[in-house]
Amino acid sequence: MGNHAPEITQLIDSVRRGEDGASASLLEAVYGELYALAGRQFSDDRAGHTLQTTALVNEAFLRLFGSNSNPDWQNRAHFFGAAAEAMRRILVDHARKKQTLKRGSGKQREGFFEDNIPQPVLSEVIEVNEALDEFAKRYPDKAEVVKYRYFAGLSIAQAAEALQISVPTANRYWAFARAWLFDHMRNE
C-alpha cells in the first residue's frame, strides 16, 4: 500500500462523480493491491483450500462496484477498508452457506466458492465474525484493525497505514481486540 495514494484518491473522486470509465480505471490501478489483500487470506494457517484469489478479488469488485452500489469512499484508505470488509463478508457468507449445505438443508446452486475452504476454517470464520460484530458495537476503531489483520491479512504496519494511525496505536488496538475476542468467544 504505498506510492500511488494521490492517483488512487483522484480515481476514487472520479468514481464518486460518476465519470465514464472511472471504475475500470480504479480497478486497474488497485488490482495488484486487491489481489495481494485477497492472497493474504490463503497464506500459512489457511492453506489447503482451492478458493482462487482471483475469484475473491472479482467477487469483492462486484460488491464494491455492483449496480446497487453507490460508492462514497473518501480516500485510498477508506476504499481499501471497504474492500477488506467486502472480502470479510464474502468469506463469512461462504462459510455460512457451507455449514447450511453440510446440515442437509437441500441442494443449492453451486457457485465458484463451493468446496474451497476447509471445514475448520469455516466455523472459525463465522465465530470470529459474530464476535467481531459484537466487539465493533463497543469499539469500532479497534474493530477496524481486526478486519484488516484477520480478514484482509495485513501486517500491523499495513493496517496502521490504511487506518492512518500510528504503528504503536495499531499494536495496542490489536492486542486489546485479540484479548477481548478470545475472552468473548471462550465464554460463548
Side-chain angles (χ1 to χ4, degrees), residues 94-176:
H94 173 65
R96 286 187 176 138
K97 182 178 176 184
K98 291 287 288 185
Q99 278 192 343
T100 300
L101 288 173
K102 192 172 182 183
R103 290 187 199 121
S105 68
K107 184 91 171 135
Q108 295 182 8
R109 195 177 111 233
E110 289 189 11
F112 57 82
F113 285 121
E114 285 310 303
D115 298 322
N116 295 323
I117 298 177
Q119 284 311 128
V121 174
L122 293 177
S123 60
E124 177 185 300
V125 167
I126 292 171
E127 188 176 358
V128 170
N129 181 65
E130 289 171 355
L132 183 58
D133 285 344
E134 190 65 35
F135 182 72
K137 291 176 188 174
R138 297 175 188 176
Y139 310 102
D141 293 344
K142 292 172 180 70
E144 291 302 309
V145 173
V146 176
K147 289 176 189 177
Y148 280 110
R149 294 280 292 140
Y150 183 80
F151 288 99
L154 298 183
S155 70
I156 286 290
Q158 291 167 325
E161 178 188 347
L163 293 169
Q164 299 176 336
I165 60 176
S166 70
V167 171
T169 298
N171 271 318
R172 283 191 309 274
Y173 284 7
W174 178 239
F176 176 78

Side-chain angles (χ1 to χ4, degrees), residues 4 6 13 22 26 32 44 52 86 89 107 119 134 137 143 156 167 178 183:
H4 306 302
D13 288 341
L26 178 60
D44 302 330
Q52 296 296 310
R89 294 290 173 198
K107 184 91 171 135
Q119 284 311 128
E134 190 65 35
K137 291 176 188 174
I156 286 290
V167 171
R178 286 178 56 201
D183 187 55

Side-chain angles (χ1 to χ4, degrees), residues 9 14 19 22-23 27-28 35 49 54 59 64 66 73 77 84 91 106-107 121 131 134 143 150 172 176:
T9 300
S14 297
E19 293 179 15
S23 295
L27 178 63
E28 186 177 322
Y35 192 86
H49 59 78
T54 303
E59 180 67 19
L64 290 169
W73 309 303
L91 293 170
K107 184 91 171 135
V121 174
E134 190 65 35
Y150 183 80
R172 283 191 309 274
F176 176 78

